[in-house]
Amino acid sequence: MSLDDVREARPADPEAPETEAGTEAATENEAATETEAGTDAGSAATPARSGGTWAAVRPLLLRLHFYAGVLIAPLLFVAATTGLLYAGSWQAEKILYSDELTVDRVGASALPLSAQVDAAKNAAPQGEVSSVWPAPEADATTRVIMESPGLAEGETLTVFVDPYTAEVRGKLTTVGDALPLRAWLSEFHSSLQLGESGRNYSELAASWLWVVVLGGLALWIGRRRTRRAALVVPDRKASGRRGTLSWHGSVGVWIAIGLVGLSATGLTWSKYAGENIGELKDGLGGATPAVSAKVGGAPAADAGGEHAGHGAADGAQAAPPTPADAIGIDGAVAAARAAGVTEYLRITLPAKGKGYVVKEQDKQVPVHLDAVSVDPADGRVMDELRFADHPLPAKLTRYGIDLHMGLTFGLANQLALAALAVLVMFMVVWGYRMWWLRRPTKDRRLSVGRPQPRGAWRKLPVTVLLPPAAVTAVVGWFLPLLGISLLVFLAADLALGFAASRRSRSL
């Protein structure tokens, strides 16, 4: 049975019949008779707006917000829950892996980096060293990253070495800079540990999050209210559905910017929308540049960003053999430091035809993300790349991703993300509670509130309808899962409407 077939009994509670600005919506015919329609929670009744573009657009927004809230909210709740766990993983791994991450005693001076690497090789002779992360702080260990047989794609073996004594503090399987706990929670947040297909859940949630937020924000701001403070301050005296609506709307105003930011940055990691965003960014000249590590030649004119170099062009010459390493890793670090690359270093060892690459990875403000490449034969700096010289879109992408991960402002960033996650969970619960409170209670105790009646789009002037329709088509193409799910919603809604129409004609 369609939700539109549910006949709502008139509630006895005078607070109940209020037009929805949250996850559910009151019906058009009810709104025409309700004295509270269009007023904010806790304010005196004022006449509902009549006429104008907003009066025509509002029912369409109500219906969209209703269906998006009811059908997508479970995904948002799951994403918020897993995101909350991830936000806490930064501090959790410091506790859980304290033996590997810290030293027992801070020494007077650190041993040469080459001696620390040798200690790691002795502890894991089956591994091949690919990069080294010197201890970033006095009480931290050095990480020696190895490619090791038997590991899954994307995983590496990390050996933790005391920089003062060359004692191996432990070995862990890692993904990038994530230790096992955070690596698992990161994958859980992005795919629910369901593999590539599981990523569709997070992309669908991120694709709809900004739609739900901006639609709800427009509905809440568009309500008439006698007190301006009611826009951002919940009415703690109100009860029932009115009180829930007050909290849902006012809290939504406070967190709207953060949620839109999470949606935008989350989409950059997604499979389908992420590819489109990357192509758009590259087309606008905003590709993330990469330092050239090629030995014996000038830097490439177009490095192609961080993901370049995976395939050789037709007719390209074979890469020369791995160059002789005369300076060693200590010489490479010394050359990089002399060039101004000094903070939170990550050294990639020479590969075929390439030299050392030394990058800064300090993503907490003020960020340090410069990079240089060093010739292993003589210690000459072959190329350098300053973060200040990155294109603006590349910088914004970097800042957005790091904010999303909780890196930019450290603990404060992680607490803010945790607070956002908890509030999203409350917003979902409040939305469903309003839907439940607006159910008819006389004839159908197990039914729920119904959405705005169909046909709202037919009341819109063509000049008002066409621009949003065109924008929706473009956005649906750019964010494929949003477009596909929207078409599914529309098809299901049309089918339910057709079935309801046939039943009404048969009565």
Side-chain angles (χ1 to χ4, degrees):
M1 176 178 289
S2 168
L3 290 173
D4 289 331
D5 295 334
V6 179
R7 301 178 62 87
E8 255 186 270
R10 185 70 174 174
D13 182 1
E15 292 181 349
E18 181 172 311
T19 305
E20 180 53 40
T23 303
E24 50 81 30
T27 61
E28 186 74 18
N29 59 329
E30 288 172 333
T33 60
E34 291 171 358
T35 58
E36 292 179 339
T39 62
D40 70 272
S43 67
T46 57
R49 298 183 184 185
S50 60
T53 301
W54 174 246
V57 171
R58 186 172 183 274
L60 189 62
L61 279 178
L62 283 169
R63 190 168 181 84
L64 176 64
H65 194 64
F66 171 85
Y67 275 120
V70 169
L71 301 175
I72 301 298
L75 299 182
L76 298 180
F77 191 91
V78 172
T81 304
T82 58
L84 176 63
L85 294 175
Y86 181 80
S89 67
W90 294 94
Q91 303 305 316
E93 71 178 6
K94 291 180 181 179
I95 299 172
L96 186 61
Y97 305 112
S98 60
D99 288 342
E100 289 85 358
L101 294 173
T102 57
V103 299
D104 288 333
R105 186 179 63 84
V106 176
S109 61
L111 297 172
L113 204 53
S114 55
Q116 301 175 48
V117 173
D118 289 340
K121 289 180 178 178
N122 292 332
Q126 75 283 8
E128 181 179 351
V129 179
S130 59
S131 60
V132 180
W133 303 356
E137 297 167 349
D139 63 344
T141 54
T142 292
R143 301 191 191 188
V144 180
I145 316 300
M146 296 183 174
E147 303 291 340
S148 184
L151 297 180
E153 182 179 0
E155 293 183 342
T156 52
L157 177 67
T158 298
V159 181
F160 300 83
V161 181
D162 186 326
Y164 306 105
T165 64
E167 173 195 0
V168 173
R169 302 282 296 173
K171 296 181 288 185
L172 294 173
T173 300
T174 54
V175 178
D177 66 346
L179 304 185
L181 173 64
R182 185 157 55 88
W184 193 93
L185 289 175
S186 176
E187 185 65 23
F188 187 49
H189 178 56
S190 62
S191 70
L192 299 180
Q193 292 290 339
L194 297 176
E196 195 67 21
S197 61
R199 293 179 62 190
N200 293 332
Y201 118 83
S202 58
E203 181 168 353
L204 192 61
S207 296
W208 274 99
L209 178 58
W210 66 274
V211 177
V212 174
V213 171
L214 295 182
L217 190 63
L219 290 168
W220 183 246
I221 293 176
R223 297 169 66 86
R224 284 183 180 270
R225 47 181 50 85
T226 57
R227 296 181 298 107
R228 291 184 179 181
L231 179 68
V232 294
V233 179
D235 186 354
R236 290 179 291 181
K237 296 180 180 179
S239 60
R241 181 177 169 278
R242 173 184 288 181
T244 304
L245 172 60
S246 176
W247 281 95
H248 185 87
S250 56
V251 170
V253 172
W254 284 102
I255 65 175
I257 293 178
L259 296 185
V260 172
L262 287 177
S263 174
T265 53
L267 286 171
T268 62
W269 280 303
S270 63
K271 181 178 180 180
Y272 304 108
E275 291 177 357
N276 290 335
I277 292 173
E279 291 177 1
L280 176 62
K281 188 180 71 166
D282 293 351
L284 295 175
T288 301
V291 65
S292 174
K294 184 178 179 181
V295 175
D302 182 6
E306 294 177 338
H307 304 291
H310 293 299
D314 292 339
Q317 295 181 354
T322 303
D325 188 359
I327 62 171
I329 191 171
D330 295 297
V333 171
R337 293 187 184 279
V341 177
T342 60
E343 305 295 328
Y344 284 77
L345 299 184
R346 299 187 180 183
I347 305 107
T348 301
L349 272 60
K352 286 187 176 181
K354 296 183 178 181
Y356 286 97
V357 175
V358 185
K359 295 182 178 181
E360 293 178 321
Q361 292 294 317
D362 180 12
K363 298 174 183 176
Q364 188 168 333
V365 290
V367 301
H368 298 88
L369 297 170
D370 297 341
V372 296
S373 59
V374 180
D375 191 326
D378 55 15
R380 175 178 57 90
V381 173
M382 302 182 294
D383 188 25
E384 60 182 57
L385 178 63
R386 305 297 172 182
F387 183 68
D389 297 330
H390 284 212
L392 180 60
K395 289 181 180 177
L396 294 178
T397 300
R398 180 74 270 162
Y399 289 139
I401 289 175
D402 294 340
L403 277 169
H404 191 119
M405 295 180 66
L407 289 169
T408 305
F409 299 104
L411 179 59
N413 198 161
Q414 294 148 25
L415 291 175
L417 289 174
L420 275 177
V422 171
L423 289 176
V424 168
M425 295 160 70
F426 272 105
M427 294 289 285
V428 171
V429 172
W430 286 331
Y432 278 114
R433 183 171 187 268
M434 287 187 289
W435 187 33
W436 174 252
L437 290 175
R438 204 171 55 77
R439 74 195 189 282
T441 57
K442 291 183 178 179
D443 301 325
R444 304 175 184 270
R445 291 186 176 275
L446 295 180
S447 60
V448 290
R450 62 175 175 171
Q452 186 78 16
R454 294 184 178 87
W457 64 271
R458 290 195 294 268
K459 300 177 183 179
L460 291 173
V462 175
T463 54
V464 175
L465 179 62
L466 288 181
V471 170
T472 301
V474 173
V475 172
W477 172 85
F478 194 73
L479 308 178
L481 291 190
L482 173 63
I484 293 171
S485 58
L486 181 58
L487 290 176
V488 171
F489 290 170
L490 292 175
D493 196 44
L494 288 173
L496 291 172
F498 179 73
S501 177
R502 292 194 61 179
R503 282 195 300 271
S504 64
R505 286 198 299 266
S506 64
L507 294 178

